[in-house]
Amino acid sequence: MTTQATEPTTTFRAQQDARRRIETSYETTVAVQELPSLHVAWEATPTSVLVTSTDMDVLGEWLYVMKGSITTVDLPSGQTVWTLRTETWSDSPRFPVVPVFVTVVQATGTPVMAEIAAAVTR
């Protein structure tokens, strides 16, 4: 007797399909909007894109081009995590706009561009 696990497979497949659509949306946004791809690591989840960079200019460029708001978290190690919440660009209902979180960690107290500081929400 063979038992089929169709529901978990369907759920897994749906999540993978969603993640692939989000990957395509992110890749298209970066290409069309000419956003930085150097010093960047990114991961698509089934609901958003997580971008990590070692360069604050990457966060600044995403803010300038795609707009959004920034939150900061001070770590006890003397570092500050800066995260921009923005979204992908799209002109197709097949690839809907999805949240993008661009994160940079730097030493606490390091100066940042005025535009980045102004976008921080408290």
Side-chain angles (χ1 to χ4, degrees), residues 46-110:
T47 58
S48 66
V49 180
L50 309 175
V51 179
T52 305
S53 178
T54 58
D55 186 347
M56 188 59 84
D57 289 344
V58 169
L59 187 142
E61 188 68 17
W62 271 87
L63 176 64
Y64 177 74
V65 173
M66 302 304 294
K67 310 301 182 241
S69 61
I70 296 173
T71 57
T72 60
V73 176
D74 290 331
L75 302 177
S77 59
Q79 297 171 304
T80 300
V81 179
W82 297 75
T83 301
L84 168 67
R85 187 196 193 292
T86 188
E87 53 191 24
T88 58
W89 169 88
S90 180
D91 64 353
S92 168
R94 180 162 152 64
F95 299 102
V97 171
V98 295
V100 176
F101 300 93
V102 181
T103 300
V104 176
V105 178
Q106 67 177 19
T108 300
T110 301

Side-chain angles (χ1 to χ4, degrees), residues 12-60:
F12 177 76
R13 179 168 299 212
Q15 288 178 346
Q16 293 303 312
D17 290 346
R19 188 179 57 75
R20 184 62 200 134
R21 279 191 304 278
I22 289 172
E23 286 176 347
T24 301
S25 183
Y26 173 79
E27 291 166 343
T28 301
T29 299
V30 169
V32 170
Q33 300 297 330
E34 299 179 352
L35 292 162
S37 59
L38 295 176
H39 306 288
V40 171
W42 63 276
E43 175 185 4
T45 72
T47 58
S48 66
V49 180
L50 309 175
V51 179
T52 305
S53 178
T54 58
D55 186 347
M56 188 59 84
D57 289 344
V58 169
L59 187 142

